[in-house]
Amino acid sequence: KAGVTQTPRYLIKTRGQQVTLSCSPISGHRSVSWYQQTPGQGLQFLFEYFSETQRNKGNFPGRFSGRQFSNSRSEMNVSTLELGDSALYLCASSPGDRELHQPQHFGDGTRLSIL
Amino acid sequence: AQKITQTQPGMFVQEKEAVTLDCTYDTSDQSYGLFWYKQPSSGEMIFLIYQGSYDEQNATEGRYSLNFQKARKSANLVISASQLGDSAMYFCAMREVRNYGGSQGNLIFGKGTKLSVKP
């Protein structure tokens, strides 16, 4: 079974630009979550999508948005990029059955650098 | 207050020895799940082991085991017979039922412990 695939692996952008990151979950997984990882703040939850609907959201500004398609693939968009948005963005998928014990399976991440 | 506390920013262990990575958590929920992940320098988060709050036995998975002390709210990861490939960041994470609402519940992560295995 293929794992979670994130593209691209690396991105370099400048302040004010916008960026779109992509995530393909494990086949059969319907829940996709996004996390931001920085040295200072660690891993922080951005949002979760299930069946094309956002059903959980972290404490990030509205510049961070996402969506999920009917095939469960998800995209995350960040508009008006700031230097502080430089981070590793991790996507995780799970079956989405609301089972407490279900782990989330992560992709390799997209490393975003803002110049 | 931090929900997940990992007090060891860095740890060294000799190859083939055992090592314990500490994790304490804070929750008022009765039902919750605890996870450990490994993150090599490549960036991918690899799921290692799970412990449920109602599980009576400590979880084990190959060379990984969890020392779960519910009253102390601690869930320490024990890696036996360390290997050079175990060198990585290790994260403790928790999922609370209260996070569910309409969702499965996101994971809350600690800051991590960097483990270095010496040959």
Side-chain angles (χ1 to χ4, degrees), chain A residues 51-95:
Chain A
S51 291
E52 302 179 64
T53 302
Q54 186 184 90
R55 66 177 185 181
N56 200 4
K57 188 177 185 304
N59 189 24
F60 276 82
R63 299 185 297 107
F64 292 82
S65 63
R67 59 176 175 168
Q68 187 180 34
F69 302 95
S70 58
N71 61 357
S72 293
R73 190 177 72 85
S74 177
E75 287 182 349
M76 189 191 101
N77 185 274
V78 189
S79 62
T80 319
L81 286 165
E82 301 176 358
L83 293 177
D85 297 333
S86 293
L88 179 66
Y89 289 88
L90 290 161
C91 167
S93 78
S94 60

Side-chain angles (χ1 to χ4, degrees), chain A residues 9 31 35 37 40-43 45 48 55-56 88 90 94 96-104 106-108, chain B residues 31-33 35 37 39 42-45 47 50 91 95 97 99-107 109 111:
Chain A
R9 287 297 310 275
S31 168
Y35 293 84
Q37 185 178 24
Q41 298 298 318
L43 278 145
F45 171 71
E48 181 207 2
R55 66 177 185 181
N56 200 4
L88 179 66
L90 290 161
S94 60
D97 300 336
R98 298 187 190 181
E99 293 284 348
L100 192 62
H101 68 277
Q102 275 296 348
Q104 293 184 330
F106 286 78
D108 289 343
Chain B
S31 183
Y32 51 88
F35 302 79
Y37 283 84
Q39 187 178 41
S42 57
E44 181 187 4
M45 297 284 283
F47 166 68
Y50 166 82
F91 291 93
R95 175 184 284 138
V97 170
N99 286 342
Y100 276 25
S103 85
Q104 186 174 5
N106 56 283
L107 296 174
F109 285 88
K111 296 290 188 184

Side-chain angles (χ1 to χ4, degrees), chain B residues 35-98:
Chain B
F35 302 79
W36 276 92
Y37 283 84
K38 171 185 176 182
Q39 187 178 41
S41 56
S42 57
E44 181 187 4
M45 297 284 283
I46 301 166
F47 166 68
L48 297 176
I49 196 167
Y50 166 82
Q51 180 82 44
S53 58
Y54 288 115
D55 294 341
E56 294 187 354
Q57 304 236 356
N58 286 338
T60 61
E61 195 68 52
R63 294 187 299 112
Y64 305 108
S65 61
L66 241 160
N67 183 0
F68 180 49
Q69 298 187 45
K70 192 171 180 178
R72 294 187 176 183
K73 292 189 177 177
S74 75
N76 299 336
L77 177 70
V78 180
I79 305 174
S80 63
S82 297
Q83 301 172 356
L84 296 178
D86 293 335
S87 293
M89 284 291 291
Y90 287 81
F91 291 93
C92 179
M94 177 172 64
R95 175 184 284 138
E96 297 172 295
V97 170
R98 73 173 60 197

